[in-house]
């Protein structure tokens, strides 16, 4: 294993050297950085040209200039841009903006796409499968700039108008309830009698919830509350246990229910005092403490097979604690929406934050989420389609293998067959796709960043390339190229972890 990693890293270094040299030469010959000054009418034109030539070493031929740039790279210095700005500072700001925007959207798209793809494969040739297939191809074919503009019009402007008086019209309640009923009927499956029962119950429940939200104008001042939170906590405990280890594992079920009870007991102390005066560091400490405590509960209750129970309790604990944090965010929604800077239009259409907003940790978090909402949805709609298709095709191929039939013949439950045998092997091709997408993630979504006014890695690369500014272009290329190489190495190691038959060596 160690020799394999060392060989890959050494080979990757030579690949990066060759790639950066080629990229530098292409950038240097694509456009003259002095064209703008030569065509200008400034009285000190010659002085400006001499200063830029000295700044960028333009009096040195590009092949030799590359080694001057490489020497600065070894010192951790990406150089200076045409405007005289430090490229390291530009790169840091761009990476922060891109990671904030694109990483969130990509993680959600991966999780959602894999989940929907698996369910679609398990419900092959049903109404749910056909619907997912149709929506996947539809989203995949939509141009991102058109989706972004539609989201700004109907996801921000129209919703902000609606939030002034957030009541839900009766036709919307009827249509939404019917869609929810059809969705749950397709997901649950079974005989027609069972499907009709599921359709009726889910339609009625959805209609009741939407009516309650409309009558109380819940969206003007949203909250979860202790009653709903208690049901959510118990539901998460049962649901996570069912998916992770199965409800037959009573130790895992009891452990997650204990965590749910602890979450319910801590609801009021957390909401009233423990979450006050929150900072980012304290938030991270709370999150780590949640994982450690929940894992410890699983460890003490899970003997002799502890690790599956630890995994289950940790996941359940994070989700249960997350709803308390979500409710705390909701408690500041009305204050945020009514602030002088927001003025009743909380869904943002441009930028990464509201200038001069101020406020505590929770208000700043709401501001970040409202600015992330539309660009995140735009990226998710496009990425969701490909991950759904890959997940569905991969699982269908695995489900037809001989070892799956053998597992069923041994009497294993369908959950064990799907989650422990099929799903694990189906992740191998998906891992390849995710590894290749990492470079694109950090490379930024150029169109999305442009439409929504985010100054990320994509904008940095395009703007620098347009004026022939080599240093920002090379900084972009080094970061994305290095991450692509590293994550492809990680993908090889993950293969061996997913399938013991694969050996790295």
């Amino acid at each position: 294993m160690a020799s394999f990693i060392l060989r890959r890293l050494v080979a990757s270094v030579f690949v990066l050297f060759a790639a950066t040299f080629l990229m530098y030469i292409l950038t240097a010959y694509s456009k003259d950085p002095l064209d703008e000054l030569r065509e200008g009418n400034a009285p000190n034109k010659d002085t400006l040209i001499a200063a830029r030539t000295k700044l960028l070493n333009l009096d040195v031929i590009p092949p030799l200039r590359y080694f001057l740039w490489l020497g600065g790279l070894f010192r951790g210095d990406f150089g200076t841009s045409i405007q005289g700005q430090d490229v390291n500072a530009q790169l840091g700001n761009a990476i922060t903006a891109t990671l904030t925007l694109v990483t969130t959207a990509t993680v959600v798209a991966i999780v959602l796409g894999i989940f929907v793809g698996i369910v679609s494969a398990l419900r092959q040739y049903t109404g749910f499968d056909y619907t997912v297939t149709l929506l996947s191809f539809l989203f995949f074919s939509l141009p991102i700039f058109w989706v972004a503009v539609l989201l700004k019009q109907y996801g921000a402007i129209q919703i902000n108008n609606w939030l002034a008086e957030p009541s839900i019209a009766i036709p919307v309640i009827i249509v939404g309830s019917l869609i929810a009923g059809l969705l749950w009927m397709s997901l649950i499956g079974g005989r027609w009698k069972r499907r009709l029962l599921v359709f009726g119950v889910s339609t009625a429940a959805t209609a009741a919830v939407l009516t309650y939200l409309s009558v109380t104008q819940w969206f003007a001042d949203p909250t979860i509350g202790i009653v709903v939170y208690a049901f959510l906590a118990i539901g998460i405990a049962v649901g996570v246990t069912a998916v992770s280890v199965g409800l037959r594992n009573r130790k895992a079920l009891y452990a997650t229910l204990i965590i749910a009870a602890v979450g319910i007991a801590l609801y009021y102390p957390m909401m009233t005092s423990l979450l006050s005066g929150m900072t980012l560091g304290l938030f991270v400490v709370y999150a780590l403490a949640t994982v450690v405590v929940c894992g410890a509960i699983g460890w003490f209750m899970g003997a002799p097979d502890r690790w599956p129970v630890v995994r289950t309790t940790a996941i359940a604990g994070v989700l249960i604690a997350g709803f308390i944090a979500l409710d705390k965010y909701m408690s500041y929604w009305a204050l945020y929406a009514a602030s002088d800077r927001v003025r009743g239009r909380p869904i943002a259409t441009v930028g990464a934050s509201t200038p001069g907003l101020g406020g505590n940790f929770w208000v700043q978090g709401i501001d970040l989420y409202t600015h992330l909402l539309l660009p995140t949805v735009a990226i998710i709609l496009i990425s969701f389609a490909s991950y759904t298709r890959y997940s569905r095709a991969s699982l269908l191929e695995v489900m037809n293998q001989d070892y799956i039939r053998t597992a069923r013949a041994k009497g294993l439950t369908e959950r064990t067959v799907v989650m422990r045998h099929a799903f694990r092997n189906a992740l191998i091709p998906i891992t390849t796709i995710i590894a290749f997408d990492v470079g694109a993630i950090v490379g930024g979504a150029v169109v999305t960043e442009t439409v929504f006014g985010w100054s990320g890695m994509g904008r940095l690369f395009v703007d620098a390339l347009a004026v022939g500014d080599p240093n920002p272009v090379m900084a972009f290329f080094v970061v994305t190229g290095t991450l692509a190489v590293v994550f492809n190495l990680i993908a090889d190691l993950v293969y061996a972890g997913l399938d013991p038959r694969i050996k790295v060596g």
Side-chain angles (χ1 to χ4, degrees), residues 392-476:
R392 179 183 182 275
S394 180
L395 187 62
L396 285 176
E397 181 179 359
V398 169
M399 293 295 286
N400 291 323
Q401 299 296 320
D402 290 338
Y403 61 86
I404 297 296
R405 286 190 287 269
T406 302
R408 284 174 172 155
K410 289 164 60 178
L412 298 178
T413 63
E414 189 66 15
R415 190 208 65 82
T416 303
V417 171
V418 173
M419 298 303 299
R420 184 169 296 182
H421 295 276
F423 177 64
R424 184 172 177 174
N425 287 279
L427 283 178
I428 294 177
I430 301 172
T431 302
T432 306
I433 303 301
I434 295 174
F436 279 116
D437 283 351
V438 168
I441 291 173
V442 183
V446 179
V447 177
T448 307
E449 291 176 1
T450 302
V451 174
F452 291 104
W454 285 69
S455 298
M457 291 286 286
R459 288 284 298 276
L460 175 69
F461 174 75
V462 171
D463 293 345
L465 196 62
V467 297
D469 194 355
N471 290 336
V473 172
M474 295 307 300
F476 167 90

Side-chain angles (χ1 to χ4, degrees), residues 153-166:
Q153 175 64 33
Y154 297 103
I157 298 175
Q158 297 297 333
I159 289 182
N160 282 330
N161 294 336
W162 174 74
L163 286 174
E165 189 177 350

Side-chain angles (χ1 to χ4, degrees), residues 115 184 230-250 252-260 308 311-317 319-320 323 415 419:
F115 173 77
W184 283 108
F231 281 106
L232 286 173
I234 296 173
I236 289 171
V238 175
V240 171
T241 305
V243 174
S244 179
V245 294
L247 295 178
R248 292 184 179 180
N249 191 328
R250 296 300 181 182
L253 179 59
Y254 296 152
T256 53
L257 287 175
I258 290 174
I259 292 172
R311 177 191 66 211
T312 304
T313 53
I315 296 173
L319 294 177
I320 291 170
F323 274 100
R415 190 208 65 82
M419 298 303 299

Side-chain angles (χ1 to χ4, degrees), residues 159-446:
I159 289 182
N160 282 330
N161 294 336
W162 174 74
L163 286 174
E165 189 177 350
S167 58
I168 306 175
I170 293 178
V172 175
I173 294 177
I174 295 174
V175 173
S177 301
L178 292 174
I179 292 175
L182 292 173
L183 177 63
W184 283 108
M185 182 180 69
S186 300
L187 280 173
I188 300 301
R191 297 179 179 274
W192 277 108
K193 185 177 180 180
R194 180 184 179 184
R195 292 187 180 187
L196 291 176
L197 178 61
V198 171
F199 174 79
V201 172
S202 57
T203 301
T206 305
V209 171
L210 292 178
T211 302
Y212 171 80
L213 297 178
S214 177
V215 171
T216 60
Q217 294 197 337
W218 183 85
F219 291 97
D221 189 11
T223 183
I224 295 177
I226 182 63
V227 176
V228 177
Y229 177 76
F231 281 106
L232 286 173
I234 296 173
I236 289 171
V238 175
V240 171
T241 305
V243 174
S244 179
V245 294
L247 295 178
R248 292 184 179 180
N249 191 328
R250 296 300 181 182
K251 294 182 179 180
L253 179 59
Y254 296 152
T256 53
L257 287 175
I258 290 174
I259 292 172
V262 172
I264 295 170
L266 290 177
Y267 177 83
Y268 281 119
M270 295 292 288
M271 292 294 295
T272 55
S273 60
L274 295 178
L275 294 181
S276 301
M278 181 62 65
T279 62
L280 180 59
L282 185 58
F283 190 85
V284 173
V285 170
Y286 276 164
L288 293 176
T290 300
V291 175
V292 172
V293 171
C294 294
I297 293 174
W299 177 266
F300 285 113
M301 296 194 61
D305 191 12
R306 287 189 169 99
W307 285 113
V309 181
V310 171
R311 177 191 66 211
T312 304
T313 53
I315 296 173
V318 169
L319 294 177
I320 291 170
F323 274 100
I324 295 182
L326 177 61
D327 202 8
K328 189 66 175 179
Y329 277 116
M330 287 181 176
S331 66
Y332 284 92
W333 174 262
L335 177 64
Y336 170 77
S339 63
D340 294 337
R341 294 290 181 176
V342 178
R343 292 176 295 181
R345 305 191 70 81
I347 308 300
T349 58
V350 66
S353 61
T354 302
L357 176 64
N360 59 16
F361 173 84
W362 304 106
V363 173
Q364 290 293 325
I366 295 174
D367 186 58
L368 175 62
Y369 298 149
T370 54
H371 283 80
L372 279 173
L373 180 61
L374 296 186
T376 298
V377 171
I379 297 173
I380 286 175
L381 289 179
I382 305 303
S383 303
F384 166 81
S386 59
Y387 287 119
T388 301
R389 293 292 87 199
Y390 282 120
S391 302
R392 179 183 182 275
S394 180
L395 187 62
L396 285 176
E397 181 179 359
V398 169
M399 293 295 286
N400 291 323
Q401 299 296 320
D402 290 338
Y403 61 86
I404 297 296
R405 286 190 287 269
T406 302
R408 284 174 172 155
K410 289 164 60 178
L412 298 178
T413 63
E414 189 66 15
R415 190 208 65 82
T416 303
V417 171
V418 173
M419 298 303 299
R420 184 169 296 182
H421 295 276
F423 177 64
R424 184 172 177 174
N425 287 279
L427 283 178
I428 294 177
I430 301 172
T431 302
T432 306
I433 303 301
I434 295 174
F436 279 116
D437 283 351
V438 168
I441 291 173
V442 183
V446 179

